[in-house]
Amino acid sequence: MDLVVQGIVRAAGLLASGDREILEITLLSLRVSGGATLISTVIGVTLGAAVALNRFPGRNIAVSLINTGMGLPPVVVGLWVTLFIWRSGPLGDLGLLYTPTAIVVAQVVIAAPIVTGISLAAMQNIPEKLRFQILSLGAGRARYLALLVREARLPLLAGVMAGFGGALSEVGASIMVGGNIRGYTRVLTTATVMETGMGNFEVAIALGFVLLVVAFIINYVLTSIQQRIRS
Amino acid sequence: MAGTVRRACAAFSAALVVTILAASLAAEERNVIFATTTSTQDTGLLDALVPIFQKKTGYFLKVIAVGSGQAMALGERGEADVLLVHSPEAEKRFMDRGFGIRRRVVMHNDFVLVGPESDPAGIRGMKSASWAFKAIAAAGVLFVGRGDNSGTDVKEKKLWRIAGVSPEGQKWYQQTGLGMGHTLRVTSEKSAYTLSDRSTYLSMKRVVDLAILVEGDPDLMNVYHVIQVNPAKWPKVNAKGAQAFADFLVSKGAQELIANFGRERFGTPLFFPNAVR
Amino acid sequence: MAPLLEARGIRAVRLGRPVLSVEEFSLGEREFLSLVGPNGSGKTTLILSLLRLIALREGTILFRGADVRTVRPVHRYRQNFAAVFQEPLLLNTTVYNNVAEGLRIRKRGGEETEASVHRSLERFGISGLRDRNARGLSAGESQRVSLARAFAVEPEVLFLDEPFSSLDAPSKELILRDVESALGESQTAVVMATHDMAEALRLSDRIAVMGSGRILQAGPPDELMRHPADEFVASFFGYETILRGAVEEVLEGSFLVSAEGRTVEIAGSAAPGSDVTFSLSPESILISREPLERVSARNRFAARIDRIIPAGFYFKVHLNCGFPLVSYITGHSMGLLDLREGEEVHCAFKSTAVRVLQMRGLQGGGGRQ
């Protein structure tokens, strides 16, 4: 038990002193997961809207695939992304393995289906009649989609939050495609795993705490926006 | 309306291509992928060595800490440029099949058999590790193995063979599949026995309830070799960078650093350099 | 003159079932056309088809004489119109933005947009709600926003799909008046779907009765009333007696209208020569075996009983006194009078029991021809 208390006390000390390495790891985590979330949002909202608003053969299969994708195990994603970006893999020439970009790619594969699935549900929940109403106002395709996105902004934002949460908190894929390289691909989750393995519990606790705080702040900001939109 | 789907697919592909292009601009010859065992990372040795190498040569070393077995698997596929491993027999097979070049000894330390202070199998002070293994098997006390084909795992399996015991499937035998640090913690929680390299044990000593019970058997010797991945097999391998790092590891400066590493924190060196002539 | 909007042989299918099959549809400039029919009769489907919001299996739609399939992209075509649906389908933003949306889509300038929105908000009495979120409004307020949004773009054709059905009677009456005055000021033609014949009679130049996806009959209200093509169409008028005539003489507090060769006195005022469409509610018509001479009712006629239909607590008695007339009498009265089909009786109703549905003056008055 004193190990826990000791760990927390020293973690607080580390954070209070503004440990540079922890700061860098945190910033990298934010950049990587933020970037992945941004790309996932573009892909997810577009794809979700496309599937929600259109009828085409194989649509049910597409919806099932997206829903399955929402629960992709990060290590499976890590494995497949690795297989593709091996030096000897199909995308090997790009030299992506063990780079932050590789983590972004893997996290996009994890987060994009989450954003897509929630966007799909959000867009499907817009009543068909409201869609008719918007079209009857004479809206072209771009304006039509923009208005639908605005109508569904609350659930869409929830989807983005969920996607960011999935990207920020996954560890399996990051460690496989990023390699947990110090100062380069070491993010909050992989660092936490490593420090735990090394017995540096205070550092691990500090990193875990930062992870929680970052997740909380981001969600708090997004929730505030959501509440303001609603009122 | 199917046009939207097509456009969405196009947008998806575009996003992917942009991501990949952006990344490929960053990738270049300066990167060296260095696959090594968890023990060298978990002890903090690499954190001491790598910055010096990078500063000196300008190479960017990507350290991938995995078991020796996985490190060599990466080497076999040309996914790593240079390896630091401690699994002599597997290393020989690796060299024989032509995957590596210039295997050189870097340093050594030793394995220790650790377990709970109470030592329920009564192995404390035994001179032979394989006898101790036999005694643990006979007493049926829990033994935690790595089971990850790492250098330590291979060594442990060899000791079981010498002892004439087949632990797989026994009630008293469990495998974690994790690195040394995690395995030591599991062993400690379960008051079990395990085989560990001395350096990782020392660095974890303050957070685990485990004592060294058997040490000093010549069978427990733990030797680390550096191997450059054969560029003749895999043209994409960064041969120059691999050569530079291998040379650095056996250089006088690095060897001195290894000799002194851990003295301050643990009161004893964790590794003994072998390459200094 | 060529009609503004025309459809020929249009058919639509949903889930493999035909839902619309209209041989002939036309709408003139500034015309108010009502589509009347029960739920599922194809009114909404027809409106959505004309807006090109659902795909047609076959048929042609012409706008200003041109095949609308040649208008691309389709949203350019839709920009000629505006639509108001039963539920006020408002966007989750301010009232102002809702009303301005159609103008923004049409890329009208900022000043023009501002002015049009202002005018439209004024017209529907909702200027005070301008900055409120549209999702927090009452049903009546919401429908006003929806109407303001439609009128703001000054459409060539305004589609109204049961716009008043989900309103309570008082709000409905107030909104109806605003719509009437807004229509009076605008040039727009209107297609309104409704299942309420009274609404249709009050507003329409022409009525098309729909059933099972078809237009069963279309024409001016009185023509439909007098010559219903079949029983289905007739049933829409059967619950009330609706007549049309010309004002012959104006008295004090009432006027005399000649309809079907009979003279009916109606309370109220009118210009001589005006065309009047009026109805008689069945509850207000008295039946007697004796001539009704000592009652205060001004309208007294001899009549023959065409049919007697039991309808629960009362009987529907179809009379003919030169024009068709329906009276409701209770079971008790029925017992006393012992009426039989084919018998001659007397009937009467007060001048105040006559409801004027539509009045068209000779010079200007009603205006919308």
Side-chain angles (χ1 to χ4, degrees):
Chain A
M1 196 59 209
D2 27 320
L3 188 68
V4 176
V5 176
Q6 211 181 357
I8 292 172
V9 170
R10 290 186 59 188
L14 271 175
L15 292 176
S17 67
D19 184 274
R20 217 175 132 237
E21 187 159 4
I22 293 184
L23 185 71
E24 278 170 9
I25 291 173
T26 306
L27 289 178
L28 181 67
S29 264
L30 287 180
R31 273 215 312 277
V32 166
S33 299
T37 308
L38 211 68
I39 298 172
S40 299
T41 302
V42 173
I43 297 171
V45 173
T46 320
L47 211 59
V51 176
L53 303 178
N54 293 294
R55 297 285 169 275
F56 52 89
R59 185 175 180 276
N60 286 346
I61 295 172
V63 173
S64 302
L65 280 176
I66 290 166
N67 288 334
T68 309
M70 290 176 78
L72 279 187
V75 286
V76 175
V77 173
L79 172 66
W80 281 94
V81 172
T82 306
L83 292 178
F84 272 88
I85 63 177
W86 282 126
R87 277 173 176 171
S88 49
L91 302 173
D93 286 336
L94 299 171
L96 278 181
L97 197 58
Y98 309 133
T99 63
T101 312
I103 308 182
V104 172
V105 171
Q107 291 191 346
V108 166
V109 177
I110 291 165
I114 297 176
V115 182
T116 308
I118 298 180
S119 303
L120 171 64
M123 299 298 242
Q124 251 170 349
N125 274 339
I126 297 178
E128 186 186 41
K129 287 188 169 173
L130 183 60
R131 281 152 50 186
F132 281 157
Q133 176 74 75
I134 292 171
L135 288 174
S136 77
L137 285 168
R141 184 146 286 273
R143 188 71 189 151
Y144 172 60
L145 285 175
L147 286 172
L148 289 183
V149 166
R150 195 177 73 184
E151 282 308 295
R153 59 196 181 269
L154 294 180
L156 287 180
L157 208 54
V160 174
M161 280 188 206
F164 182 73
L168 188 71
S169 64
E170 71 76 30
V171 55
S174 291
I175 219 159
M176 286 170 90
V177 305
N180 189 32
I181 299 164
R182 190 182 186 195
Y184 186 57
T185 58
R186 188 166 294 171
V187 292
L188 284 168
T189 50
T190 61
T192 306
V193 171
M194 186 197 68
E195 298 293 351
T196 307
M198 288 167 69
N200 296 329
F201 295 113
E202 64 277 12
V203 183
I205 291 170
L207 290 166
F209 185 71
V210 171
L211 192 60
L212 283 176
V213 169
V214 167
F216 175 79
I217 290 174
I218 305 270
N219 276 295
Y220 179 78
V221 170
L222 287 175
T223 309
S224 306
I225 296 170
Q226 228 182 23
Q227 294 302 327
R228 215 176 49 214
I229 291 170
R230 187 172 291 153
S231 63
Chain B
M1 285 237 169
T4 316
V5 180
R6 227 174 302 120
R7 249 165 284 160
C9 288
F12 179 87
S13 318
L16 208 67
V17 167
V18 168
T19 314
I20 289 164
L21 283 182
S24 64
L25 292 175
E28 37 158 319
E29 303 259 314
R30 306 311 297 168
N31 292 334
V32 181
I33 298 177
F34 170 45
T36 181
T37 76
T38 51
S39 55
T40 52
Q41 181 174 61
D42 286 358
T43 54
L45 176 66
L46 293 177
D47 286 347
L49 281 172
V50 170
I52 296 172
F53 168 73
Q54 293 189 152
K55 210 165 184 184
K56 211 160 141 183
T57 61
Y59 280 110
F60 180 65
L61 201 69
K62 295 182 171 180
V63 181
I64 311 302
V66 289
S68 289
Q70 203 188 333
M72 278 182 274
L74 287 171
E76 266 181 42
R77 294 187 51 88
E79 301 300 339
D81 303 317
V82 57
L83 321 171
L84 180 64
V85 288
H86 65 133
S87 191
E89 282 163 31
E91 288 165 37
K92 270 171 211 143
R93 280 197 302 278
F94 184 80
M95 297 303 291
D96 289 347
R97 286 186 296 156
F99 290 114
I101 53 169
R102 304 198 65 194
R103 174 171 176 252
R104 288 179 279 176
V105 65
V106 176
M107 60 191 185
H108 76 272
N109 61 5
D110 60 346
F111 290 104
V112 289
L113 190 44
V114 299
E117 200 65 51
S118 60
D119 188 19
I123 60 166
R124 191 189 301 269
M126 284 188 176
K127 288 287 163 253
S128 161
S130 48
W131 288 1
F133 270 42
K134 222 180 270 181
I136 292 167
V141 183
L142 186 65
F143 187 101
V144 177
R146 291 268 296 274
D148 62 351
N149 207 22
S150 62
T152 310
D153 184 47
V154 170
K155 172 69 81 177
E156 181 209 310
K157 293 216 166 79
K158 188 178 171 193
L159 288 170
W160 286 119
R161 266 202 314 281
I162 297 172
V165 178
S166 162
E168 302 270 345
Q170 303 285 350
K171 263 202 189 110
W172 48 267
Y173 188 72
Q174 295 181 352
Q175 294 183 327
T176 61
L178 298 170
M180 196 68 247
H182 280 110
T183 302
L184 279 167
R185 294 229 334 280
V186 172
T187 307
S188 173
E189 290 300 319
K190 294 186 178 252
S191 293
Y193 292 93
T194 193
L195 184 73
S196 169
D197 63 291
R198 185 184 292 271
S199 51
T200 308
Y201 168 72
L202 285 176
S203 67
M204 294 288 290
K205 197 178 168 189
R206 65 188 183 94
V207 293
V208 294
D209 277 332
L210 296 169
I212 295 181
L213 300 172
V214 175
E215 59 186 326
D217 181 343
D219 275 347
L220 291 176
M221 185 71 163
N222 182 25
V223 186
Y224 290 84
H225 286 90
V226 64
I227 302 174
Q228 293 161 239
V229 175
N230 188 357
K233 288 249 178 193
W234 301 103
K236 283 179 192 167
V237 161
N238 184 351
K240 275 191 189 164
Q243 176 82 45
F245 185 63
D247 288 348
F248 167 75
L249 280 181
V250 300
S251 72
K252 196 160 172 258
Q255 291 282 303
E256 268 171 20
L257 195 146
I258 291 169
N260 290 313
F261 180 74
R263 266 184 214 280
E264 207 178 298
R265 194 169 165 197
F266 307 109
T268 169
L270 299 183
F271 299 96
F272 303 94
N274 287 66
V276 210
R277 270 152 276 224
Chain C
M1 194 173 58
L4 182 60
L5 188 60
E6 244 185 308
R8 290 181 196 149
I10 56 171
R11 297 192 211 301
V13 174
R14 188 179 293 169
L15 302 173
R17 224 166 44 84
V19 288
L20 188 70
S21 174
V22 169
E23 294 309 327
E24 197 71 58
F25 169 92
S26 78
L27 178 74
E29 302 266 0
R30 302 199 64 195
E31 187 180 28
F32 194 121
L33 171 71
S34 286
L35 306 174
V36 180
N39 291 332
S41 59
K43 307 183 298 277
T44 300
T45 309
L46 177 55
I47 286 179
L48 295 178
S49 302
L50 294 172
L51 278 164
R52 293 179 72 194
L53 285 169
I54 54 176
L56 290 179
R57 180 56 62 89
E58 54 188 79
T60 317
I61 297 172
L62 304 167
F63 181 66
R64 297 201 178 285
D67 189 332
V68 298
R69 278 170 297 197
T70 62
V71 187
R72 287 219 180 102
V74 62
H75 66 265
R76 289 256 172 266
Y77 168 73
R78 294 195 192 114
Q79 287 179 5
N80 294 305
F81 311 117
V84 174
F85 296 96
Q86 178 171 354
E87 311 99 278
L89 299 160
L90 302 179
L91 301 167
N92 188 359
T93 175
T94 60
V95 167
Y96 181 90
N97 283 339
N98 264 284
V99 178
E101 187 57 47
L103 296 153
R104 288 182 184 147
I105 286 170
R106 286 160 180 76
K107 301 210 163 52
R108 302 279 166 79
E111 274 174 39
E112 190 192 338
T113 300
E114 172 77 41
S116 301
V117 174
H118 182 77
R119 241 192 344 268
S120 215
L121 290 173
E122 284 280 291
R123 181 182 274 156
F124 287 94
I126 47 174
S127 298
L129 303 177
R130 178 189 158 107
D131 297 320
R132 288 262 301 276
N133 187 294
R135 288 284 168 85
L137 304 176
S138 72
E141 287 169 336
S142 301
Q143 200 54 286
R144 282 170 183 276
V145 176
S146 189
L147 286 160
R149 175 171 63 187
F151 275 97
V153 299
E154 293 170 4
E156 304 235 26
V157 180
L158 174 63
F159 291 96
L160 302 173
D161 188 4
E162 302 268 9
F164 312 115
S165 311
S166 48
L167 301 173
D168 56 76
S171 343
K172 175 171 161 175
E173 179 55 33
L174 291 171
I175 290 186
L176 259 169
R177 283 185 204 166
D178 284 347
V179 169
E180 280 172 320
S181 83
L183 284 173
E185 291 168 33
S186 82
Q187 305 290 318
T188 185
V190 182
V191 176
M192 177 175 82
T194 180
H195 58 259
D196 181 347
M197 184 55 89
E199 238 169 56
L201 290 167
R202 174 167 173 175
L203 296 164
S204 313
D205 298 309
R206 251 176 353 119
I207 292 176
V209 178
M210 294 191 71
S212 329
R214 293 163 192 280
I215 290 182
L216 302 169
Q217 192 177 8
D222 55 311
E223 189 186 307
L224 257 64
M225 279 179 306
R226 276 178 301 171
H227 308 291
D230 56 28
E231 294 229 340
F232 184 83
V233 176
S235 73
F236 266 90
F237 297 93
Y239 68 98
E240 272 190 319
T241 303
I242 296 156
L243 299 166
R244 188 176 166 187
V247 178
E248 298 239 296
E249 196 183 339
V250 179
L251 309 171
E252 249 178 83
S254 67
F255 52 94
L256 300 179
V257 173
S258 152
E260 316 271 336
R262 302 286 178 131
T263 301
V264 177
E265 184 176 342
I266 301 174
S269 63
S274 302
D275 267 345
V276 180
T277 308
F278 58 96
S279 76
L280 293 166
S281 60
E283 304 83 0
S284 59
I285 293 163
L286 306 174
I287 299 179
S288 164
R289 285 200 171 279
E290 309 303 323
L292 288 151
E293 271 153 17
R294 269 189 263 157
V295 293
S296 67
R298 303 298 296 269
N299 298 298
R300 298 189 286 265
F301 304 101
R304 200 184 68 241
I305 297 176
D306 276 347
R307 281 184 78 187
I308 297 175
I309 303 168
F313 295 109
Y314 60 90
F315 290 83
K316 267 181 167 182
V317 182
H318 289 252
L319 302 167
N320 188 340
C321 54
F323 49 83
L325 201 58
V326 179
S327 170
Y328 293 171
I329 66 169
T330 61
H332 179 72
S333 308
M334 194 64 177
L336 286 177
L337 292 169
D338 190 26
L339 300 176
R340 309 235 178 243
E341 288 181 1
E343 284 182 330
E344 299 290 336
V345 291
H346 298 272
C347 65
F349 51 91
K350 295 166 110 180
S351 65
T352 51
V354 183
R355 202 158 122 232
V356 176
L357 298 173
Q358 200 174 49
M359 180 148 354
R360 285 162 204 238
L362 285 181
Q363 56 276 62
R368 304 184 41 81
Q369 301 271 0

